[in-house]
Amino acid sequence: MEKLTIVKVGGKIVEDPQSLKQLLSDFSKIEGYKVLVHGGGRSATAMAAKLGIESKMVNGRRITDEEMLKIVTMVYGGLVNKQIVAGLQAIGVNALGLTGADLNYMRSEKRPVTDVDYGFVGDVKEVNAVILVDLIAKGVVPVLAPLTHDKAGNLLNTNADTIAGEAAKALSNDFEVTLMYCFEKKGVLLNEGDDESVIPILTSELFEQYVSDRVIQGGMIPKLENSFEALNKGVKRVLITRADQIHTNKGTQIKL
Amino acid sequence: MEKLTIVKVGGKIVEDPQSLKQLLSDFSKIEGYKVLVHGGGRSATAMAAKLGIESKMVNGRRITDEEMLKIVTMVYGGLVNKQIVAGLQAIGVNALGLTGADLNYMRSEKRPVTDVDYGFVGDVKEVNAVILVDLIAKGVVPVLAPLTHDKAGNLLNTNADTIAGEAAKALSNDFEVTLMYCFEKKGVLLNEGDDESVIPILTSELFEQYVSDRVIQGGMIPKLENSFEALNKGVKRVLITRADQIHTNKGTQIKL
């Protein structure tokens, strides 16, 4: 099978013109087929503030009411996505920006209300990769915004890590997929205070131990759970790394 | 050749949830291959006002400075485009939202500054229809936002009528194209005060006469010039009509 690399980058990188330019250049140097998944939370929060709308977060996740859904649709699907697409085209990468509604490639359902009502947030239910696979094989590079749809006319806000994981699993039927989650550190750290203490290989066994020892905590836990899930579902390789290392293969490699 | 219909609708129709729903239903009933082109100027003006930015117009055209470019990228490429795509998917139409940057399907150049500096406005220079043709043949329905790019990393605001005309000409190599321009009247009127005075067939000869007699004036003139240009460049049929008539073939048919 041909190789495909899926890179997920957060808002911080893609929202600053200089770091975005560097990222797109590094991304373009990755060999083989490619997919880029982006966030944009900071821009959404900033836009909401400009419009006098308060961003509500619970457990680090955004509450997406009707007004906020319009904002994330504009910011993720329009501003951030299209600036990335135009930036990639400028360096010869044939990018195509997509939300889950486009080509109906990712369908979700509105998250049920439990103790928290997250609002218009989608849990992914179905990935239709057929046309996507065809486009990728033609050299097209999908740029995925963190938005899905319910196929009943509603767009839904969806975590970019989840989008990347679900796309990686679905594309593993046709490609040998490497999934790279980028964040602000060079990899998963053994010692939070030491940026150089990157764990080179993290097995599920080590992961469990580090979680019980509280070496790994907070938002890194769901990211790593997503990673093991992806490996279990056919993704060949998962790397947690910093955006400026994506063309170097450095970082923490996740292994079952 | 297979038949393809390109429908261009203005902002007024797509910005109201009720009229949008009706439009998408009518559009879905058009037989054969389809492309939808949309505006969104009213939403952009409203969003700019909410953000405290004044919309400047010269000769009925928007001056697109850097701040306004961000707004139209959000509103046209994100909010309006993705709501249409999600709405079409809900009724079984496999829509794909595109700006000119996506798939590099439409390249433009920033309009030269003459007596007026329109800012980040693009004049179309090149349409790359190969992948688009392939997607359409697979049943995909492109939904085109009024944005192009210069292939140097910049998105550019581009008139939706122009996008529709340029797409129609380029797709005429592979399809028998009907181009429908929708506006608020049932067709081109012989008497501005009488909504029923629709000219059924408008030839270039009649057009010239009506312009010199001032029967046709204002914004209708460039729309009709676009129409004749499209017919001259291989488009099979051009119709000027009202959005609620697109599945009926009523309106003013333009003939060379």
Side-chain angles (χ1 to χ4, degrees):
Chain A
M1 283 202 284
E2 302 264 14
K3 288 180 183 180
L4 175 117
T5 304
I6 301 184
V7 175
K8 185 263 161 175
V9 285
K12 205 172 180 178
I13 298 289
V14 297
E15 290 160 3
D16 170 64
Q18 278 313 309
S19 65
L20 174 60
K21 199 171 176 185
Q22 186 59 51
L23 169 80
L24 299 185
S25 168
D26 293 341
F27 176 75
S28 74
K29 287 172 193 150
I30 296 173
E31 282 184 34
Y33 297 123
K34 292 183 280 287
V35 174
L36 187 61
V37 184
H38 65 84
R42 285 155 202 267
S43 294
T45 299
M47 184 54 62
K50 274 191 193 173
L51 291 165
I53 295 163
E54 193 195 345
S55 294
K56 289 168 223 135
M57 311 291 278
V58 174
N59 306 328
R61 297 199 167 218
R62 186 181 299 274
I63 305 290
T64 309
D65 61 13
E66 206 174 327
E67 279 307 302
M68 192 56 75
L69 180 65
K70 281 187 188 170
I71 291 171
V72 297
T73 302
M74 290 197 306
V75 172
Y76 301 164
L79 193 62
V80 177
N81 190 269
K82 297 314 173 190
Q83 283 179 345
I84 292 174
V85 169
L88 284 172
Q89 290 289 355
I91 53 173
V93 176
N94 195 9
L96 168 63
L98 298 171
T99 68
D102 297 289
L103 301 169
N104 183 29
Y105 97 82
M106 200 176 280
R107 185 179 67 77
S108 65
E109 285 174 12
K110 188 169 177 291
R111 183 168 302 164
V113 177
T114 51
D115 48 332
V116 183
D117 181 359
Y118 285 100
F120 294 98
V121 165
D123 292 321
V124 177
K125 294 296 167 188
E126 193 184 354
V127 184
N128 304 306
V130 178
I131 296 183
L132 220 52
V133 167
D134 189 67
L135 284 167
I136 291 167
K138 286 194 165 71
V140 172
V141 174
V143 177
L144 309 181
L147 293 165
T148 55
H149 78 137
D150 63 2
K151 218 176 180 299
N154 303 298
L155 292 156
L156 293 165
N157 191 2
T158 301
N159 181 275
D161 282 359
T162 306
I163 300 260
E166 294 290 339
K169 287 187 278 179
L171 292 168
S172 288
N173 296 319
D174 296 276
F175 298 98
E176 188 186 307
V177 175
T178 294
L179 172 59
M180 292 190 190
Y181 282 120
C182 299
F183 76 135
E184 64 272 25
K185 306 289 184 186
K186 287 183 181 173
V188 185
L189 301 181
L190 202 54
N191 173 358
E192 220 184 328
D194 177 5
D195 278 358
E196 301 306 319
S197 66
V198 175
I199 302 165
I201 292 172
L202 186 62
T203 60
S204 51
E205 207 177 336
L206 263 175
F207 170 62
E208 278 167 33
Q209 195 196 304
Y210 286 150
V211 170
S212 74
D213 294 350
R214 301 205 170 178
V215 168
I216 294 172
Q217 43 189 332
M220 185 49 76
I221 295 175
K223 207 181 279 279
L224 288 169
E225 284 169 345
N226 271 347
S227 302
F228 289 114
E229 157 85 2
L231 291 170
N232 271 315
K233 294 281 173 64
V235 174
K236 187 80 177 176
R237 203 161 146 267
V238 179
L239 203 68
I240 311 261
T241 188
R242 203 167 66 185
D244 61 359
Q245 297 188 137
I246 55 173
H247 56 307
T248 66
N249 281 324
K250 288 180 189 166
T252 299
Q253 192 176 343
I254 313 302
K255 287 210 164 171
L256 286 178
Chain B
M1 284 201 285
E2 302 264 13
K3 289 181 183 178
L4 175 120
T5 305
I6 300 183
V7 175
K8 185 264 163 175
V9 284
K12 204 173 182 178
I13 296 291
V14 297
E15 290 160 6
D16 170 64
Q18 278 313 309
S19 66
L20 174 60
K21 199 172 176 185
Q22 186 60 50
L23 168 80
L24 299 185
S25 167
D26 293 342
F27 176 73
S28 74
K29 287 172 193 151
I30 296 174
E31 282 184 37
Y33 297 123
K34 293 183 280 286
V35 174
L36 187 62
V37 184
H38 64 84
R42 285 155 202 266
S43 293
T45 299
M47 182 55 61
K50 276 191 192 173
L51 291 165
I53 295 163
E54 192 194 345
S55 294
K56 290 168 223 135
M57 312 291 278
V58 174
N59 307 327
R61 298 202 166 213
R62 185 181 300 274
I63 305 291
T64 308
D65 62 13
E66 208 175 325
E67 279 306 301
M68 192 56 76
L69 181 64
K70 282 186 188 170
I71 291 171
V72 297
T73 302
M74 292 198 304
V75 172
Y76 301 164
L79 193 63
V80 177
N81 189 269
K82 297 314 173 190
Q83 283 180 344
I84 292 174
V85 169
L88 284 173
Q89 290 289 354
I91 53 174
V93 176
N94 195 10
L96 167 64
L98 298 171
T99 69
D102 297 288
L103 301 169
N104 183 31
Y105 97 82
M106 200 176 280
R107 185 179 67 77
S108 64
E109 286 174 11
K110 188 168 176 292
R111 184 168 302 163
V113 177
T114 51
D115 49 332
V116 182
D117 181 359
Y118 286 100
F120 294 96
V121 165
D123 292 321
V124 177
K125 294 295 168 188
E126 193 185 354
V127 183
N128 303 305
V130 178
I131 295 183
L132 220 52
V133 166
D134 189 68
L135 284 166
I136 292 167
K138 286 194 166 70
V140 171
V141 173
V143 177
L144 310 180
L147 293 164
T148 54
H149 78 138
D150 64 2
K151 218 176 179 300
N154 303 298
L155 293 156
L156 292 165
N157 191 3
T158 302
N159 181 274
D161 282 359
T162 306
I163 299 260
E166 294 292 339
K169 286 187 278 180
L171 291 168
S172 289
N173 295 320
D174 295 275
F175 299 98
E176 189 186 308
V177 175
T178 295
L179 171 59
M180 291 190 190
Y181 282 119
C182 299
F183 76 134
E184 64 273 23
K185 305 289 184 186
K186 288 182 179 173
V188 184
L189 301 181
L190 202 54
N191 173 357
E192 219 182 329
D194 178 6
D195 278 357
E196 301 305 318
S197 66
V198 174
I199 303 166
I201 291 171
L202 186 62
T203 61
S204 52
E205 205 177 339
L206 264 176
F207 170 63
E208 278 166 34
Q209 195 196 307
Y210 286 151
V211 170
S212 76
D213 294 350
R214 302 207 170 175
V215 168
I216 294 173
Q217 43 188 331
M220 185 50 75
I221 294 175
K223 207 181 280 280
L224 288 169
E225 283 169 346
N226 272 346
S227 303
F228 288 114
E229 157 86 2
L231 290 170
N232 271 315
K233 294 281 173 63
V235 174
K236 188 78 179 177
R237 204 161 145 266
V238 179
L239 203 67
I240 311 261
T241 188
R242 203 167 67 183
D244 61 358
Q245 296 189 137
I246 55 174
H247 55 307
T248 66
N249 280 325
K250 287 182 190 166
T252 298
Q253 191 176 343
I254 313 302
K255 289 211 163 172
L256 285 178

